[in-house]
Amino acid sequence: WLLDIGSSAVETVFIPSENRGTLCISSQAGCTLDCGFCSTGKQGFNRNLTTSEIIGQLWLAKRALAEDAAGQHISNIVMMGMGEPLLNYENLLPALRLMLDDNAYGLSRRRVTVSTSGILPMIDRLRDDCPVALAVSLHAPNDSLRDQLMPINRKYPIADLVAACSRYLDRAPRDFITFEYVMLSGVND
């Protein structure tokens, strides 16, 4: 779905599979990180989404799927839509808590994932405040290539990112962290 939120448009994507339905939710309209392979970063940054706008994506998707004759449902959430979720932490945290709350959506910590490019101080805060599943956009095997593809790496290089991931595992709901890697022919493959 492409949702109009005020003067901004954001994407929410439902990914059905045989055993689950994953909803990919946006946290920002646009993005500041300008990763070399990402079209959202090329759009620039409009604003952070509010907690209600983040949760509203889940609410609207659940409503749309309830009307769907196929009987699909949302079993997993991935904060991997537009934007860097950890750069909108103040609105992300209450949204995550609503997703997990038994009196709201009642999802398991194992089924709610935050995907990040590697904002290290916020990874540590998430570990302490609301440890959910973590996915890290890596996309390169070394700092020099990652610096080119993901400028945030200049501030938070791979060795520091791996150390933050190790710290996160102490409280993570799973015994692993997912690393995301888009294959770019002749670049990082």
Side-chain angles (χ1 to χ4, degrees):
W1 298 279
L2 185 61
L3 306 172
D4 285 324
I5 297 179
S7 62
S8 304
V10 297
E11 292 178 330
T12 304
V13 178
F14 180 68
I15 307 164
S17 65
E18 188 174 322
N19 297 324
R20 66 177 156 217
T22 302
L23 187 67
C24 182
I25 295 178
S26 295
S27 58
Q28 297 177 316
C31 186
T32 61
L33 297 182
D34 197 25
C35 296
F37 52 85
C38 180
S39 65
T40 301
K42 304 301 178 231
Q43 297 174 34
F45 176 73
N46 275 342
R47 66 182 180 86
N48 286 325
L49 299 184
T50 65
T51 299
S52 62
E53 290 168 336
I54 294 169
I55 288 295
Q57 294 170 73
L58 173 55
W59 183 86
L60 286 169
K62 282 184 73 74
R63 185 173 177 185
L65 291 172
E67 297 169 0
D68 185 313
Q72 298 174 328
H73 72 283
I74 298 166
S75 61
N76 295 62
I77 300 288
V78 181
M79 295 302 306
M80 188 193 283
M82 296 174 72
E84 165 55 60
L86 295 181
L87 290 179
N88 186 12
Y89 193 78
E90 299 309 315
N91 293 311
L92 173 69
L93 183 61
L96 292 174
R97 288 180 172 154
L98 282 169
M99 292 173 195
L100 300 174
D101 192 305
D102 287 339
N103 292 314
Y105 291 96
L107 294 166
S108 163
R109 289 180 187 277
R110 298 170 60 89
R111 294 186 175 266
V112 176
T113 302
V114 171
S115 174
T116 180
S117 61
I119 312 299
L120 302 193
M122 305 318 288
I123 291 173
D124 289 334
R125 277 191 66 189
L126 184 64
R127 177 199 66 214
D128 294 338
D129 294 342
C130 187
V132 292
L134 186 66
V136 174
S137 295
L138 189 60
H139 309 300
N142 58 54
D143 283 323
S144 62
L145 181 56
R146 193 164 191 262
D147 286 350
Q148 294 173 30
L149 295 175
M150 301 180 70
I152 193 67
N153 193 69
R154 293 180 195 122
K155 186 170 186 177
Y156 304 118
I158 293 173
D160 296 340
L161 178 58
V162 169
C165 290
S166 294
R167 291 189 302 272
Y168 196 88
L169 280 173
D170 292 340
R171 295 196 184 136
R174 299 187 201 162
D175 59 355
F176 64 89
I177 291 171
T178 302
F179 287 92
E180 302 153 344
Y181 199 102
V182 64
M183 298 295 286
L184 303 169
S185 181
V187 177
N188 67 351
D189 61 346

